Amino acid sequence: MKISNKLFTKGLSKDEFSLLFILFMTFLTGLLYYFNFISINYTFLTLIAFITIFFITIYYWKIREKVSIFFTIMIYTYTLFTQFGLCFTYYLITKSVVSTYGWETQSFLYSEYYPQVLGLALISVALLVLSALLMHYLIPKKDNSNFRLLNQIEERIGSKIALALLTIVLLYFCYYIVTGKIYLGMDYNDYRVSGVLEGLYDYIIIFYSISICFLVACAKGWEFKIGVILFLITAIILFSCGNRGEVLFPFLACLGIIVYKQQTINYKYILAGAVIVLVFIPVVKVFRHLGDSNLLTAYIEASPLSGLAEMGVSMRMTNYIVTELQNGTREFLNGFSYYNPVINILDHFVPFNIRLEPPIYFNFRNSFYFLKAMTPVAESFANFGLFGVILHHSIIGGVLGVLEGIKPTGIKLGLLASITATLVYATRNVFSGVPAQIFLCLVIYYSIKIISRIFYQRRKVKNYDKAINQ
């Protein structure tokens, strides 16, 4: 019997329905893994996981021009690398990829809890995309054409503020270069103890990310060209000192803006992503410890698969947390790592101290965890277990689905990209920095809106006066 090309009252195509079905089945597969209902060889477990991820990716590719959740897909893609990069490479390509890793790093691949860890990773990526898709279908699309003049003013103000911030960021690093505290080609460990990370550094990196997002979303002509040049000069300084995420995360967010404006994913963007993962990340990883050695040496020593493996090592954090909880050496945080950063922000605005005493198990910042890169999967599990992983990724996907569903343009698109860059950065970091970064994104966004509204009202008054005098 011939299947109809449209399904349900929402008019879902067969490909859209197939994608929703695959996402739901991936979620169920993750649950089966987590509860150990599937007891087979780890290689076959990993292969099944790979097949489900492959079909999710293929079916979204088929509907990409109709369903624009590009920023969600960006986080989904990076989550794939950080959760599955090493296990897919090790079990499905070559086991030699762990030859340079110590036992502590690679041991999760043979852990008795590996099926649970793999199941949690599947649940996270499935719910991230599934919740974004559902919100995309449910949220009504808005028409912003009635505010064209205000939008144009916002874009002009946004581009100028972005240029100012990029200039400040570049001057910050130039100061440290001129004073001799950092230099191009500096060893990454020397960079970390140079003093550059002190003081305003965290804010500078946040402004660097926010400013390029607003620039790409708002700027045109010479402002765009100058902004890109400022961004690239700063990027060269950061890359030469072994920094990667500080540049790559906002770059990926900007790539999302370009894709969003074009409403399609071009092959050249996939090629750019592949070059970043398979070539650029491994080269910078090696170069960051070579000091003054040349880039050619770094390229020769780097392996294309080492980039995937290095990001995929992050899955070990979930194994650590699961193992500790199973062995009774850790207790659930019950949301502390999520609400505590918000309380710390509010503490700056009240006349008395409201900071909380952290529980003993809130130890993500100690040397053991901090140097191994925390992930949203591990942290959400540390707070609420399986329910935490389900809730966290459903909320992230749902919020992004809502933001993308309203068809943002101009500074709204810059805000969405800035938030996305923050969330991408959080895929290999603790959540504690996310509220503060999003708060700064909102401060810049509403500052642009307030300034733009003032200019807009002046323009309206001026036009009104002209009409009266005619």
Side-chain angles (χ1 to χ4, degrees):
M1 183 174 66
K2 186 176 180 180
I3 301 176
S4 172
N5 196 45
K6 295 290 181 180
L7 300 172
F8 306 122
T9 56
K10 274 290 183 182
L12 298 182
S13 67
K14 289 185 293 185
D15 290 335
E16 290 175 277
F17 176 73
S18 297
L19 176 57
L20 291 172
F21 177 75
I22 292 169
L23 287 167
F24 181 70
M25 293 304 298
T26 302
F27 171 69
L28 289 182
T29 302
L31 289 178
L32 293 175
Y33 280 18
Y34 178 79
F35 290 109
N36 284 317
F37 288 142
I38 303 179
S39 297
I40 55 177
N41 181 278
Y42 283 6
T43 301
F44 286 108
L45 282 176
T46 308
L47 179 61
I48 293 172
F50 174 80
I51 292 172
T52 61
I53 296 300
F54 174 79
F55 278 108
I56 290 174
T57 306
I58 289 298
Y59 273 95
Y60 180 74
W61 177 261
K62 296 174 74 172
I63 67 169
R64 68 191 187 282
E65 294 186 4
K66 181 179 179 181
V67 183
S68 55
I69 55 167
F70 302 123
F71 290 99
T72 304
I73 292 300
M74 186 185 309
I75 296 178
Y76 159 80
T77 303
Y78 197 74
T79 302
L80 289 185
F81 290 141
T82 57
Q83 289 298 308
F84 301 100
L86 180 55
C87 68
F88 281 175
T89 305
Y90 177 81
Y91 280 114
L92 305 180
I93 300 178
T94 173
K95 288 182 169 55
S96 63
V97 74
V98 298
S99 59
T100 60
Y101 294 150
W103 173 252
E104 185 182 75
T105 300
Q106 60 177 287
S107 60
F108 79 92
L109 293 166
Y110 328 107
S111 168
E112 62 178 307
Y113 301 114
Y114 176 73
Q116 287 181 274
V117 171
L118 193 61
L120 291 171
L122 285 174
I123 290 170
S124 68
V125 294
L127 289 180
L128 186 68
V129 180
L130 182 60
S131 55
L133 281 174
L134 293 177
M135 296 310 297
H136 174 85
Y137 292 130
L138 294 174
I139 295 298
K141 308 300 181 287
K142 291 185 178 181
D143 182 11
N144 297 318
S145 59
N146 294 330
F147 303 96
R148 188 170 300 169
L149 176 59
L150 179 59
N151 291 338
Q152 290 175 351
I153 295 174
E154 288 177 347
E155 289 181 2
R156 291 172 187 170
I157 301 298
S159 62
K160 287 175 172 54
I161 289 179
L163 272 177
L165 289 174
L166 283 169
T167 303
I168 292 172
V169 171
L170 180 58
L171 290 175
Y172 177 87
F173 287 105
C174 286
Y175 165 78
Y176 277 94
I177 291 176
V178 171
T179 56
K181 293 183 177 180
I182 64 173
Y183 53 89
L184 299 182
M186 188 178 193
D187 182 86
Y188 183 65
N189 292 325
D190 293 337
Y191 175 84
R192 291 182 63 86
V193 299
S194 66
V196 69
L197 302 183
E198 300 173 359
L200 298 174
Y201 182 80
D202 289 340
Y203 293 101
I204 288 295
I205 294 300
I206 294 172
F207 288 146
Y208 182 60
S209 176
I210 295 174
S211 57
I212 190 60
C213 290
F214 276 93
L215 181 92
V216 175
C218 301
K220 298 174 183 177
W222 66 270
E223 289 183 338
F224 179 81
K225 294 177 182 177
I226 292 176
V228 170
I229 291 172
L230 293 173
F231 177 82
L232 291 177
I233 294 174
T234 307
I236 291 171
I237 297 173
L238 289 169
F239 275 140
S240 72
C241 296
N243 297 278
R244 295 173 296 177
E246 290 84 347
V247 178
L248 293 177
F249 297 145
F251 172 78
L252 289 173
C254 291
L255 201 62
I257 294 175
I258 297 172
V259 170
Y260 192 89
K261 286 182 175 181
Q262 296 179 353
Q263 288 294 296
T264 186
I265 303 176
N266 195 292
Y267 284 102
K268 63 183 178 182
Y269 302 132
I270 297 177
L271 178 61
V275 170
I276 288 173
V277 173
L278 299 178
V279 178
F280 207 80
I281 288 178
V283 169
V284 175
K285 177 190 174 184
V286 175
F287 185 70
R288 71 189 334 189
H289 299 299
L290 289 178
D292 294 322
S293 298
N294 60 54
L295 191 61
L296 178 61
T297 304
Y299 181 76
I300 293 173
E301 292 187 20
S303 163
L305 292 178
S306 66
L308 280 173
E310 193 266 340
M311 288 189 289
V313 164
S314 302
M315 182 183 266
R316 63 182 167 170
M317 290 307 305
T318 310
N319 185 70
Y320 290 144
I321 299 297
V322 170
T323 302
E324 290 176 352
L325 285 166
Q326 292 286 350
N327 294 338
T329 57
R330 167 181 288 276
E331 295 180 3
F332 290 118
L333 293 172
N334 298 318
F336 182 85
S337 69
Y338 293 118
Y339 62 73
N340 185 60
V342 178
I343 292 176
N344 289 343
I345 293 175
L346 296 176
D347 181 66
H348 294 287
F349 301 97
V350 296
F352 49 89
N353 180 35
I354 61 172
R355 289 179 179 262
L356 302 175
E357 185 68 25
I360 188 174
Y361 301 106
F362 184 57
N363 53 359
F364 302 151
R365 287 289 185 181
N366 70 25
S367 59
F368 178 78
Y369 294 99
F370 185 67
L371 297 176
K372 295 175 175 58
M374 181 57 68
T375 68
V377 179
E379 187 168 359
S380 57
F381 191 85
N383 277 276
F384 299 110
L386 174 62
F387 176 73
V389 176
I390 294 173
L391 183 64
H392 175 88
H393 291 88
S394 296
I395 291 176
I396 295 297
V399 169
L400 288 174
V402 170
L403 293 176
E404 295 189 73
I406 62 176
K407 299 294 183 183
T409 58
I411 63 171
K412 291 185 178 68
L413 186 56
L415 176 64
L416 174 58
S418 300
I419 293 174
T420 301
T422 300
L423 294 174
V424 171
Y425 179 77
T427 55
R428 297 192 72 190
N429 288 278
V430 293
F431 181 81
S432 60
V434 172
Q437 292 182 51
I438 292 180
F439 175 74
L440 287 176
C441 292
L442 292 172
V443 168
I444 293 175
Y445 171 77
Y446 281 107
S447 297
I448 295 172
K449 285 194 73 69
I450 291 171
I451 296 171
S452 301
R453 179 65 67 173
I454 294 172
F455 279 94
Y456 177 69
Q457 292 298 335
R458 288 182 178 178
R459 180 76 64 86
K460 286 180 65 177
V461 170
K462 186 176 181 180
N463 291 340
Y464 177 76
D465 291 340
K466 283 184 178 180
I468 292 296
N469 294 328
Q470 286 179 353

